[in-house]
Amino acid sequence: MTTALRRLRNYIDGEFRDAADGRTTEVVNPATGEPYATAPLSGSTDVDAAMAAAEAAFPAWRDLIPAERQKVLLKIADRFEERAEELIAAESENCGKPIALVRSEEIPPMVDQIRFFAGAARMLEGRSAGEYMDGFTSIIRREPVGVCAQVAPWNYPMMMAVWKFAPALAAGNTVVIKPSDTTPASTVLIADIIGSVLDELGHPRGVFNVICGDRETGRLMVEHKVPAMASITGSVRAGMQVAESASKDLKRVHLELGGKAPVVVFEDTDIAKAVEDIATAGYFNAGQDCTAATRVLVQESIHDEFVAALAKAASETKTGAIDDEDVLYGPLNNANQLKQVKGFIERLPAHAKIEAGGEQVGDKGYFFAPTVVSGLKQDDEIVQHEVFGPVITVQSFVDEKQAVEWANGVEYALASSVWTKDHARAMRMSKVLDFGCVWINTHIPLVAEMPHGGFKKSGYGKDLSAYGFDDYTRIKHVMTSLNG
């Protein structure tokens, strides 16, 4: 007996629709490896319809006073809380994430972030008006950019959707967002929530649209003539493709791409506390986080003690079913990602040593054991490239100079952390580490008020904070004569 698959649909101009040509893809629960739904495989007709809806809705949404847009976002945040259990269920099935962790670690910050941007809607700051030429007054206007084409990733489908639509809507833009083809369920539910709020408050339905599909669908969105801005959270390869496609008509591009965060542990660190926090920050969400604490550099005098403690912590970390409250993380998101993580382990050089884990867990789904690999060199593949799995690598450094050289010696530059009791050293390191975020004696906390974004191949533009809000605006100079 087969179970009928749930049917997910696009959300365009306030209506749920199948793809125009009827094409679909199967959506797989990564905890079981079995399909549970189908989603539209959208093509050019669907993208055209979504962009037309967003374009038509833009003037009215743009012209709302900020207080009215704030009301909409605050009601969306309230509705997220009211329908939290639906969102949790959708995201757990989407990603195989433990239910308890989605409830405690994702819903509260998402609601907070929406409310933050609701406030930011009323903070359209610019330099004061003034006379910079005799007889003329200059004024700065800050305006929305227009329709935004947004592509969200599969590691945090709900939260990354919030990071994209909340600042865009707050600034007065309209949105067409595409979730990953492996995780569309929670974004479709978000469309239902936002659509109901827009209807209740009498705003155009096309303000927020969701298109399901694959990489080709995303390309069609980015290359479409309507959007003024393209925003993606994803791999470096995907970001480069988006930047290239957007360059054809000089669209604005906002890229949050990969990471390879160095975790620099000096010999004066409280080893037990550092290991506890680093293990959590490295294995949370199965290491599928561009800021994950998965590249550890440890001063040689404490290396062996640290590695032993970290291996023990890994052996005590649990992965498993979504309803097990003792589980720290669930499965990898999809079969391809499991294959990628396995490949890194299989290709380890002879000088590397697996201290813990290193293998798939269970006979169904895409679970992988908490893993620690030591004995690595700076140019090893697993040190230089993003694994995006529950694998923590450890290198041994001699002094501060070498720590900085190795920490900065990758193509990514998103996040980093320094572990030391020496305040002066912490300040020196925070200055020279070439990363968009430097945590000191912690790793991975984020707040709505502070920016998240990197340098180099980690992309450009900021999420969260007033800086993230600014990215969705444009600056206009208005000059008027004082002589009639």
Side-chain angles (χ1 to χ4, degrees):
M1 180 178 178
T2 59
T3 302
L5 301 181
R6 189 187 326 155
R7 186 177 69 170
L8 304 173
R9 294 186 290 174
N10 293 329
Y11 187 79
I12 300 173
D13 203 16
E15 297 179 351
F16 285 102
R17 308 181 188 179
D18 295 322
D21 62 7
R23 292 189 303 159
T24 63
T25 57
E26 286 190 338
V27 185
V28 173
N29 183 332
T32 64
E34 298 295 328
Y36 70 91
T38 62
L41 182 56
S42 300
S44 59
T45 302
D46 308 297
V47 172
D48 286 345
M51 294 301 173
E55 186 177 35
F58 175 64
W61 185 250
R62 174 199 61 202
D63 293 343
L64 280 178
I65 63 171
E68 292 302 314
R69 291 198 296 270
Q70 181 187 49
K71 287 180 184 178
V72 174
L73 285 162
L74 290 174
K75 186 168 280 291
I76 290 170
D78 291 344
R79 199 62 53 82
F80 266 55
E81 287 185 321
E82 293 165 10
R83 299 181 65 176
E85 292 306 312
E86 293 177 69
L87 289 165
I88 292 164
E91 193 73 337
S92 293
E93 194 167 32
N94 248 350
C95 309
K97 294 184 180 185
I99 290 171
L101 287 174
V102 178
R103 182 177 291 117
S104 65
E105 303 300 323
E106 297 200 28
I107 296 295
M110 286 193 305
V111 170
D112 179 68
Q113 289 151 8
I114 297 170
R115 288 176 175 150
F116 171 83
F117 284 112
R122 301 180 72 167
M123 293 295 289
L124 289 164
E125 294 183 343
R127 296 187 180 185
S128 63
E131 289 68 49
Y132 302 95
M133 180 182 292
D134 288 341
F136 297 88
T137 295
S138 286
I139 302 169
I140 295 296
R141 291 181 57 88
R142 186 180 292 275
E143 302 174 340
V145 298
V147 176
C148 296
Q150 302 181 320
V151 179
W154 48 252
N155 59 333
Y156 291 99
M158 283 197 306
M159 190 173 294
M160 296 301 99
V162 167
W163 286 19
K164 293 189 180 303
F165 79 71
L169 296 184
N173 304 286
T174 54
V175 165
V176 178
I177 189 168
K178 187 190 86 68
S180 167
D181 56 339
T182 67
T183 56
S186 56
T187 311
V188 171
L189 179 56
I190 287 172
D192 184 55
I193 292 172
I194 294 178
S196 68
V197 170
L198 291 169
D199 272 351
E200 288 172 22
L201 297 181
H203 297 298
R205 289 180 163 192
V207 167
F208 183 82
N209 306 270
V210 172
I211 288 285
C212 299
D214 59 7
R215 188 174 297 161
E216 174 63 12
T217 311
R219 185 190 66 79
L220 291 169
M221 288 173 57
V222 172
E223 293 186 357
H224 200 278
K225 63 180 178 11
V226 165
M229 180 176 180
S231 170
I232 179 175
T233 299
S235 68
V236 173
R237 181 184 68 174
M240 288 179 171
Q241 291 171 344
V242 166
E244 182 179 0
S245 294
S247 71
K248 295 175 182 177
D249 58 0
L250 296 179
K251 284 184 179 69
R252 282 195 183 200
V253 179
H254 182 283
L255 303 175
E256 200 277 271
L257 310 177
K260 195 68 181 174
V263 181
V264 185
V265 183
F266 287 95
E267 60 188 358
D268 62 343
T269 301
D270 180 334
I271 293 177
K273 181 67 167 63
V275 164
E276 179 183 359
D277 291 353
I278 291 167
T280 299
Y283 296 133
F284 188 81
N285 202 40
Q288 297 171 126
D289 190 314
C290 47
T291 63
T294 55
R295 181 168 66 105
V296 180
L297 309 174
V298 183
Q299 199 154 17
E300 61 180 1
S301 58
I302 62 167
H303 173 270
D304 292 351
E305 182 181 357
F306 183 93
V307 169
L310 185 60
K312 183 174 184 295
S315 69
E316 295 170 353
T317 299
K318 188 176 179 182
T319 181
I322 63 172
D323 56 354
D324 186 340
E325 295 194 1
D326 293 328
V327 164
L328 177 64
Y329 68 87
L332 295 167
N333 180 261
N334 54 74
N336 285 339
Q337 189 59 26
L338 175 62
K339 181 180 179 181
Q340 175 171 306
V341 174
K342 283 182 173 180
F344 274 102
I345 299 301
E346 291 165 358
R347 295 189 301 271
L348 283 173
H351 54 261
K353 180 182 179 183
I354 298 176
E355 303 280 354
E359 71 281 327
Q360 186 174 353
V361 176
D363 56 2
K364 67 176 183 177
Y366 311 130
F367 297 91
F368 201 84
T371 299
V372 177
V373 182
S374 67
L376 293 164
K377 298 178 181 179
Q378 180 66 10
D379 59 355
D380 287 337
E381 177 197 30
I382 201 170
V383 169
Q384 289 294 318
H385 297 282
E386 190 173 34
V387 178
F388 225 56
V391 179
I392 297 178
T393 65
V394 185
Q395 297 167 259
S396 175
F397 69 85
V398 175
D399 55 22
E400 191 174 315
K401 179 181 178 182
Q402 188 177 58
V404 172
E405 179 186 346
W406 286 358
N408 289 340
V410 294
E411 293 184 327
Y412 303 90
L414 182 59
S416 59
S417 62
V418 178
W419 300 74
T420 180
K421 295 176 182 177
D422 185 331
H423 178 73
R425 173 190 283 152
M427 292 297 96
R428 289 194 303 272
M429 293 293 291
S430 67
K431 177 183 177 181
V432 298
L433 284 172
D434 190 19
F435 296 85
C437 175
V438 181
W439 287 292
I440 298 173
N441 294 324
T442 187
H443 194 107
I444 228 165
L446 295 168
V447 292
E449 294 83 354
M450 290 293 114
H452 175 78
F455 316 133
K456 300 191 316 191
K457 285 191 175 179
S458 289
Y460 42 80
K462 298 296 182 184
D463 289 313
L464 303 177
S465 80
Y467 299 99
F469 179 71
D470 286 350
D471 280 354
Y472 286 94
T473 67
R474 65 184 190 181
I475 302 299
K476 179 187 287 183
H477 171 220
V478 178
M479 180 180 272
T480 183
S481 171
L482 299 179
N483 299 314

PDB file of all heavy atoms in Angstrom, residues 365-386:
ATOM      1  N   GLY A 365      17.663   7.038   5.885  1.00  0.00           N
ATOM      2  CA  GLY A 365      17.930   8.458   6.073  1.00  0.00           C
ATOM      3  C   GLY A 365      19.391   8.788   5.820  1.00  0.00           C
ATOM      4  O   GLY A 365      20.192   7.943   5.420  1.00  0.00           O
ATOM      5  N   TYR A 366      19.750  10.054   6.104  1.00  0.00           N
ATOM      6  CA  TYR A 366      21.077  10.565   5.755  1.00  0.00           C
ATOM      7  C   TYR A 366      21.855  11.017   6.986  1.00  0.00           C
ATOM      8  O   TYR A 366      22.444  12.094   7.018  1.00  0.00           O
ATOM      9  CB  TYR A 366      20.932  11.728   4.760  1.00  0.00           C
ATOM     10  CG  TYR A 366      20.012  11.417   3.600  1.00  0.00           C
ATOM     11  CD1 TYR A 366      18.991  12.290   3.239  1.00  0.00           C
ATOM     12  CD2 TYR A 366      20.157  10.239   2.856  1.00  0.00           C
ATOM     13  CE1 TYR A 366      18.143  12.014   2.173  1.00  0.00           C
ATOM     14  CE2 TYR A 366      19.322   9.948   1.797  1.00  0.00           C
ATOM     15  CZ  TYR A 366      18.309  10.840   1.462  1.00  0.00           C
ATOM     16  OH  TYR A 366      17.473  10.547   0.406  1.00  0.00           O
ATOM     17  N   PHE A 367      21.867  10.199   8.015  1.00  0.00           N
ATOM     18  CA  PHE A 367      22.540  10.525   9.268  1.00  0.00           C
ATOM     19  C   PHE A 367      24.043  10.236   9.175  1.00  0.00           C
ATOM     20  O   PHE A 367      24.463   9.235   8.591  1.00  0.00           O
ATOM     21  CB  PHE A 367      21.938   9.718  10.418  1.00  0.00           C
ATOM     22  CG  PHE A 367      20.487  10.032  10.689  1.00  0.00           C
ATOM     23  CD1 PHE A 367      19.480   9.318  10.066  1.00  0.00           C
ATOM     24  CD2 PHE A 367      20.146  11.047  11.569  1.00  0.00           C
ATOM     25  CE1 PHE A 367      18.142   9.601  10.320  1.00  0.00           C
ATOM     26  CE2 PHE A 367      18.813  11.347  11.826  1.00  0.00           C
ATOM     27  CZ  PHE A 367      17.807  10.621  11.194  1.00  0.00           C
ATOM     28  N   PHE A 368      24.825  11.114   9.808  1.00  0.00           N
ATOM     29  CA  PHE A 368      26.277  10.937   9.833  1.00  0.00           C
ATOM     30  C   PHE A 368      26.778  11.207  11.238  1.00  0.00           C
ATOM     31  O   PHE A 368      26.333  12.138  11.916  1.00  0.00           O
ATOM     32  CB  PHE A 368      26.956  11.884   8.840  1.00  0.00           C
ATOM     33  CG  PHE A 368      28.339  11.438   8.436  1.00  0.00           C
ATOM     34  CD1 PHE A 368      28.516  10.508   7.425  1.00  0.00           C
ATOM     35  CD2 PHE A 368      29.461  11.930   9.079  1.00  0.00           C
ATOM     36  CE1 PHE A 368      29.781  10.081   7.049  1.00  0.00           C
ATOM     37  CE2 PHE A 368      30.734  11.522   8.710  1.00  0.00           C
ATOM     38  CZ  PHE A 368      30.898  10.594   7.689  1.00  0.00           C
ATOM     39  N   ALA A 369      27.720  10.393  11.681  1.00  0.00           N
ATOM     40  CA  ALA A 369      28.195  10.462  13.063  1.00  0.00           C
ATOM     41  C   ALA A 369      29.004  11.725  13.334  1.00  0.00           C
ATOM     42  O   ALA A 369      29.701  12.232  12.440  1.00  0.00           O
ATOM     43  CB  ALA A 369      29.058   9.239  13.373  1.00  0.00           C
ATOM     44  N   PRO A 370      28.949  12.253  14.567  1.00  0.00           N
ATOM     45  CA  PRO A 370      29.826  13.368  14.948  1.00  0.00           C
ATOM     46  C   PRO A 370      31.280  12.936  14.789  1.00  0.00           C
ATOM     47  O   PRO A 370      31.695  11.906  15.328  1.00  0.00           O
ATOM     48  CB  PRO A 370      29.478  13.606  16.416  1.00  0.00           C
ATOM     49  CG  PRO A 370      28.177  12.926  16.643  1.00  0.00           C
ATOM     50  CD  PRO A 370      28.126  11.788  15.685  1.00  0.00           C
ATOM     51  N   THR A 371      32.035  13.708  14.047  1.00  0.00           N
ATOM     52  CA  THR A 371      33.363  13.278  13.610  1.00  0.00           C
ATOM     53  C   THR A 371      34.423  14.290  14.015  1.00  0.00           C
ATOM     54  O   THR A 371      34.193  15.503  13.958  1.00  0.00           O
ATOM     55  CB  THR A 371      33.369  13.086  12.081  1.00  0.00           C
ATOM     56  OG1 THR A 371      32.410  12.070  11.740  1.00  0.00           O
ATOM     57  CG2 THR A 371      34.736  12.682  11.560  1.00  0.00           C
ATOM     58  N   VAL A 372      35.596  13.782  14.408  1.00  0.00           N
ATOM     59  CA  VAL A 372      36.773  14.613  14.690  1.00  0.00           C
ATOM     60  C   VAL A 372      37.937  14.050  13.891  1.00  0.00           C
ATOM     61  O   VAL A 372      38.203  12.842  13.937  1.00  0.00           O
ATOM     62  CB  VAL A 372      37.131  14.623  16.184  1.00  0.00           C
ATOM     63  CG1 VAL A 372      38.402  15.448  16.436  1.00  0.00           C
ATOM     64  CG2 VAL A 372      35.978  15.157  17.023  1.00  0.00           C
ATOM     65  N   VAL A 373      38.627  14.926  13.161  1.00  0.00           N
ATOM     66  CA  VAL A 373      39.793  14.516  12.379  1.00  0.00           C
ATOM     67  C   VAL A 373      40.981  15.380  12.793  1.00  0.00           C
ATOM     68  O   VAL A 373      40.903  16.608  12.765  1.00  0.00           O
ATOM     69  CB  VAL A 373      39.547  14.672  10.868  1.00  0.00           C
ATOM     70  CG1 VAL A 373      40.770  14.188  10.081  1.00  0.00           C
ATOM     71  CG2 VAL A 373      38.297  13.908  10.434  1.00  0.00           C
ATOM     72  N   SER A 374      42.082  14.744  13.175  1.00  0.00           N
ATOM     73  CA  SER A 374      43.290  15.464  13.593  1.00  0.00           C
ATOM     74  C   SER A 374      44.441  15.166  12.631  1.00  0.00           C
ATOM     75  O   SER A 374      44.288  14.418  11.674  1.00  0.00           O
ATOM     76  CB  SER A 374      43.676  15.071  15.015  1.00  0.00           C
ATOM     77  OG  SER A 374      44.091  13.708  15.054  1.00  0.00           O
ATOM     78  N   GLY A 375      45.622  15.757  12.930  1.00  0.00           N
ATOM     79  CA  GLY A 375      46.814  15.491  12.135  1.00  0.00           C
ATOM     80  C   GLY A 375      46.825  16.132  10.772  1.00  0.00           C
ATOM     81  O   GLY A 375      47.550  15.703   9.872  1.00  0.00           O
ATOM     82  N   LEU A 376      46.044  17.178  10.596  1.00  0.00           N
ATOM     83  CA  LEU A 376      45.871  17.766   9.265  1.00  0.00           C
ATOM     84  C   LEU A 376      46.865  18.889   8.985  1.00  0.00           C
ATOM     85  O   LEU A 376      47.373  19.539   9.898  1.00  0.00           O
ATOM     86  CB  LEU A 376      44.440  18.294   9.134  1.00  0.00           C
ATOM     87  CG  LEU A 376      43.383  17.187   9.134  1.00  0.00           C
ATOM     88  CD1 LEU A 376      42.006  17.766   9.407  1.00  0.00           C
ATOM     89  CD2 LEU A 376      43.385  16.438   7.805  1.00  0.00           C
ATOM     90  N   LYS A 377      47.090  19.108   7.689  1.00  0.00           N
ATOM     91  CA  LYS A 377      47.972  20.181   7.238  1.00  0.00           C
ATOM     92  C   LYS A 377      47.144  21.268   6.562  1.00  0.00           C
ATOM     93  O   LYS A 377      46.023  21.036   6.103  1.00  0.00           O
ATOM     94  CB  LYS A 377      49.009  19.624   6.264  1.00  0.00           C
ATOM     95  CG  LYS A 377      49.929  18.578   6.897  1.00  0.00           C
ATOM     96  CD  LYS A 377      50.917  18.026   5.884  1.00  0.00           C
ATOM     97  CE  LYS A 377      51.819  16.962   6.517  1.00  0.00           C
ATOM     98  NZ  LYS A 377      52.784  16.395   5.533  1.00  0.00           N
ATOM     99  N   GLN A 378      47.722  22.452   6.481  1.00  0.00           N
ATOM    100  CA  GLN A 378      46.984  23.620   6.007  1.00  0.00           C
ATOM    101  C   GLN A 378      46.455  23.455   4.588  1.00  0.00           C
ATOM    102  O   GLN A 378      45.379  23.948   4.261  1.00  0.00           O
ATOM    103  CB  GLN A 378      47.862  24.872   6.101  1.00  0.00           C
ATOM    104  CG  GLN A 378      47.208  26.154   5.633  1.00  0.00           C
ATOM    105  CD  GLN A 378      46.040  26.606   6.499  1.00  0.00           C
ATOM    106  OE1 GLN A 378      45.802  26.064   7.574  1.00  0.00           O
ATOM    107  NE2 GLN A 378      45.286  27.593   6.030  1.00  0.00           N
ATOM    108  N   ASP A 379      47.167  22.748   3.729  1.00  0.00           N
ATOM    109  CA  ASP A 379      46.717  22.637   2.341  1.00  0.00           C
ATOM    110  C   ASP A 379      45.867  21.399   2.079  1.00  0.00           C
ATOM    111  O   ASP A 379      45.535  21.101   0.924  1.00  0.00           O
ATOM    112  CB  ASP A 379      47.911  22.666   1.387  1.00  0.00           C
ATOM    113  CG  ASP A 379      48.908  21.543   1.647  1.00  0.00           C
ATOM    114  OD1 ASP A 379      48.725  20.792   2.622  1.00  0.00           O
ATOM    115  OD2 ASP A 379      49.875  21.419   0.865  1.00  0.00           O
ATOM    116  N   ASP A 380      45.491  20.660   3.107  1.00  0.00           N
ATOM    117  CA  ASP A 380      44.625  19.499   2.915  1.00  0.00           C
ATOM    118  C   ASP A 380      43.242  19.934   2.431  1.00  0.00           C
ATOM    119  O   ASP A 380      42.713  20.984   2.833  1.00  0.00           O
ATOM    120  CB  ASP A 380      44.474  18.710   4.222  1.00  0.00           C
ATOM    121  CG  ASP A 380      45.724  17.930   4.579  1.00  0.00           C
ATOM    122  OD1 ASP A 380      46.516  17.632   3.673  1.00  0.00           O
ATOM    123  OD2 ASP A 380      45.910  17.627   5.782  1.00  0.00           O
ATOM    124  N   GLU A 381      42.648  19.112   1.578  1.00  0.00           N
ATOM    125  CA  GLU A 381      41.337  19.433   1.015  1.00  0.00           C
ATOM    126  C   GLU A 381      40.309  19.731   2.102  1.00  0.00           C
ATOM    127  O   GLU A 381      39.546  20.704   2.006  1.00  0.00           O
ATOM    128  CB  GLU A 381      40.844  18.257   0.154  1.00  0.00           C
ATOM    129  CG  GLU A 381      39.453  18.473  -0.413  1.00  0.00           C
ATOM    130  CD  GLU A 381      38.798  17.189  -0.919  1.00  0.00           C
ATOM    131  OE1 GLU A 381      39.094  16.112  -0.365  1.00  0.00           O
ATOM    132  OE2 GLU A 381      37.978  17.288  -1.852  1.00  0.00           O
ATOM    133  N   ILE A 382      40.269  18.922   3.141  1.00  0.00           N
ATOM    134  CA  ILE A 382      39.239  19.057   4.164  1.00  0.00           C
ATOM    135  C   ILE A 382      39.420  20.314   5.004  1.00  0.00           C
ATOM    136  O   ILE A 382      38.481  20.800   5.636  1.00  0.00           O
ATOM    137  CB  ILE A 382      39.193  17.790   5.052  1.00  0.00           C
ATOM    138  CG1 ILE A 382      37.843  17.680   5.768  1.00  0.00           C
ATOM    139  CG2 ILE A 382      40.376  17.759   6.018  1.00  0.00           C
ATOM    140  CD1 ILE A 382      37.619  16.357   6.460  1.00  0.00           C
ATOM    141  N   VAL A 383      40.615  20.882   4.994  1.00  0.00           N
ATOM    142  CA  VAL A 383      40.878  22.152   5.682  1.00  0.00           C
ATOM    143  C   VAL A 383      40.490  23.330   4.790  1.00  0.00           C
ATOM    144  O   VAL A 383      39.964  24.338   5.259  1.00  0.00           O
ATOM    145  CB  VAL A 383      42.367  22.246   6.092  1.00  0.00           C
ATOM    146  CG1 VAL A 383      42.723  23.656   6.564  1.00  0.00           C
ATOM    147  CG2 VAL A 383      42.686  21.229   7.183  1.00  0.00           C
ATOM    148  N   GLN A 384      40.709  23.200   3.507  1.00  0.00           N
ATOM    149  CA  GLN A 384      40.516  24.315   2.588  1.00  0.00           C
ATOM    150  C   GLN A 384      39.073  24.462   2.088  1.00  0.00           C
ATOM    151  O   GLN A 384      38.670  25.546   1.692  1.00  0.00           O
ATOM    152  CB  GLN A 384      41.460  24.174   1.389  1.00  0.00           C
ATOM    153  CG  GLN A 384      42.914  24.421   1.726  1.00  0.00           C
ATOM    154  CD  GLN A 384      43.168  25.860   2.136  1.00  0.00           C
ATOM    155  OE1 GLN A 384      42.647  26.798   1.540  1.00  0.00           O
ATOM    156  NE2 GLN A 384      43.971  26.034   3.183  1.00  0.00           N
ATOM    157  N   HIS A 385      38.321  23.378   2.086  1.00  0.00           N
ATOM    158  CA  HIS A 385      36.996  23.406   1.469  1.00  0.00           C
ATOM    159  C   HIS A 385      35.898  23.098   2.477  1.00  0.00           C
ATOM    160  O   HIS A 385      36.100  22.350   3.434  1.00  0.00           O
ATOM    161  CB  HIS A 385      36.937  22.426   0.302  1.00  0.00           C
ATOM    162  CG  HIS A 385      37.895  22.771  -0.800  1.00  0.00           C
ATOM    163  ND1 HIS A 385      37.645  23.773  -1.706  1.00  0.00           N
ATOM    164  CD2 HIS A 385      39.124  22.272  -1.116  1.00  0.00           C
ATOM    165  CE1 HIS A 385      38.666  23.877  -2.542  1.00  0.00           C
ATOM    166  NE2 HIS A 385      39.572  22.976  -2.207  1.00  0.00           N
ATOM    167  N   GLU A 386      34.721  23.667   2.227  1.00  0.00           N
ATOM    168  CA  GLU A 386      33.594  23.532   3.142  1.00  0.00           C
ATOM    169  C   GLU A 386      32.986  22.131   3.058  1.00  0.00           C
ATOM    170  O   GLU A 386      32.525  21.711   2.000  1.00  0.00           O
ATOM    171  CB  GLU A 386      32.539  24.582   2.803  1.00  0.00           C
ATOM    172  CG  GLU A 386      31.438  24.699   3.818  1.00  0.00           C
ATOM    173  CD  GLU A 386      30.509  25.875   3.533  1.00  0.00           C
ATOM    174  OE1 GLU A 386      30.286  26.193   2.344  1.00  0.00           O
ATOM    175  OE2 GLU A 386      30.021  26.483   4.489  1.00  0.00           O
TER     176      GLU A 386
END
